[in-house]
Amino acid sequence: MKKNELHKTNPNVSVDSVILGFDFNQLNVLLINRDSHQNEEDKILALPGNLIYDNEDLDMAANRVLRELTGIKDIYLDQIGAFGNPDRISKKSDRKWLESIRAHPDARVITIAYYTLVKMEDFVPQPSSFAKSAIWVPLNKVEELAFDHSEILESAVARLRKKIIIHPIGFNLLPNKFTLSQLQKLYESILGRVLDKRNFRRKVLKLAILTQLKEKETGVTHKPASYYKFNKVKYEALVKTGFDNFAF
Amino acid sequence: MKKNELHKTNPNVSVDSVILGFDFNQLNVLLINRDSHQNEEDKILALPGNLIYDNEDLDMAANRVLRELTGIKDIYLDQIGAFGNPDRISKKSDRKWLESIRAHPDARVITIAYYTLVKMEDFVPQPSSFAKSAIWVPLNKVEELAFDHSEILESAVARLRKKIIIHPIGFNLLPNKFTLSQLQKLYESILGRVLDKRNFRRKVLKLAILTQLKEKETGVTHKPASYYKFNKVKYEALVKTGFDNFAF
DNA sequence: TTGCTTAGTGTAAATACAACACTTTCAAAA
DNA sequence: TTTTGAAAGTGTTGTATTTACACTAAGCAA
């Protein structure tokens, strides 16, 4: 084909999701492996994703992928952007991945990447011999991924790091009730630095978007921490005032 | 077709660019009209864009669109994201636009949107009877655009507003030499509020990324302002220190 | 009862931000 | 030549925010 000629075959367009969860210690990403036959190239993991349907918009497609894989619906989802260098099918294993989502074999693939934050308790991967089993992998243990998924994952984390300073989306990663220390640990994991306990607590509580519960931790070998829950009503009210800084 | 069936026809994928320029008074966006026949539906303007080629990556395609239209190359470009509701071809005129970029007629169109900041002096649209003539339109005079381009334009401005607080990309919109008042006016245009002159100057100068020139304004009927230029070397050094706040 | 572990709390110094008014310099008009 | 208009340029002060820092409280286990 002549260089720079318009394509005759339209590209495949898929949606891939970076699904992040927090295990009270570090961030984890949900990855899938194609099947359980452990050939060398089958060990390469990928972000969950699929081709978009004709009749759904992009956000719907991302929601569908999340729902089909985990059963979770109506969750916070944010588009990272489009990826798709023409030479992105570089690894031996990438072709197999493409077959598995029934992509047009001759066309390039462009993917619209999303990231989302979920409570890990909402999805516990089942040990399975089925194709496409999913596993939680701690961010610092992630190895090379299929296609350009490593790059997408990196973008997602960078985006989250910026966004969490401005919007308290971190609450999506925690159970409904949580302690201030858990919240602080979450922020430290995302931002990659330790925070001053007193300053953190003062700042969070001053926002007045948390409700302190009467309940406390039990069974711990130290002073039990008080549980809090996220107060969505107060948060919405706060946003309306033009609030835009949650910086630590 | 059955609902939620995978598409048989891959979507068209195009790149659209929000090209912004500053005329020392307000922000302008570069729009094109399809041809000079002034039928009613031909008056609808659109963002410049085109289908991506088979062998180019997305950023390259956006650069190409910018270069083909204006001759400008190697400019700051930032991806906004992907747009493309399946029902986005809503207006009578939209089909004509699609024909003009030779899109596959039966497939939906997904577009990857970019925005870029240019010096208006670098591109002066020529009055033309050719198809697809381009014009600078002040942001507050923009009417309904083709497809979902109004939504894309809105996203671009919102993105710029956030980004300019953190990165001094505003210099891309000004000539090489400019006065502090021009710079302030630019920030006021983007942020949509007036800024205190003394506080603005103190803050900008403290960053030490501007070099004051010996040259002053001439021919003005008031005290002539000193010219400054952007010092890229000092800026890069500043970024390395972890600087991330240019807030006003 | 002692020891270990994490929860929970206040203050002071340094820094950043916001508000505010007058003098200077040029060109044009009187 | 003098006056006028118009924007450039310049510091200070009060307020709010950020940072740094150390001890007591409460539970469980040994």
Side-chain angles (χ1 to χ4, degrees), chain B residues 31-122:
Chain B
L31 298 175
I32 57 175
N33 52 21
R34 188 170 61 260
D35 55 43
S36 53
H37 310 134
Q38 290 295 318
N39 301 328
E40 188 53 37
E41 68 260 32
D42 288 342
K43 282 186 186 151
I44 290 190
L45 301 175
L47 296 172
N50 214 325
L51 294 181
I52 59 168
Y53 295 156
D54 258 356
N55 60 342
E56 65 186 350
D57 71 32
L58 303 175
D59 290 1
M60 271 172 58
N63 257 302
R64 172 175 56 81
V65 166
L66 178 66
R67 197 175 56 247
E68 286 175 354
L69 182 66
T70 66
I72 301 171
K73 44 188 163 181
D74 297 328
I75 201 72
Y76 176 85
L77 257 167
D78 201 18
Q79 194 192 104
I80 301 165
F83 294 77
N85 295 340
D87 58 353
R88 91 191 261 269
I89 303 169
S90 52
K91 305 180 199 73
K92 251 195 304 185
S93 59
D94 288 347
R95 295 211 162 271
K96 289 204 178 179
W97 275 108
L98 284 181
E99 287 163 21
S100 77
I101 59 170
R102 291 183 286 160
H104 191 297
D106 294 331
R108 68 189 286 189
V109 178
I110 288 173
T111 194
I112 319 295
Y114 282 78
Y115 78 90
T116 183
L117 308 176
V118 305
K119 308 183 201 309
M120 280 181 82
E121 57 186 8
D122 285 352

Side-chain angles (χ1 to χ4, degrees), chain A residues 70-102:
Chain A
T70 65
I72 301 172
K73 44 189 164 181
D74 297 327
I75 200 74
Y76 176 85
L77 257 166
D78 201 20
Q79 193 192 105
I80 302 165
F83 294 77
N85 295 340
D87 58 353
R88 92 191 260 268
I89 304 168
S90 51
K91 306 181 197 72
K92 253 194 303 185
S93 59
D94 288 346
R95 293 210 164 272
K96 289 204 179 178
W97 274 108
L98 284 181
E99 287 163 20
S100 77
I101 59 171
R102 291 184 286 161

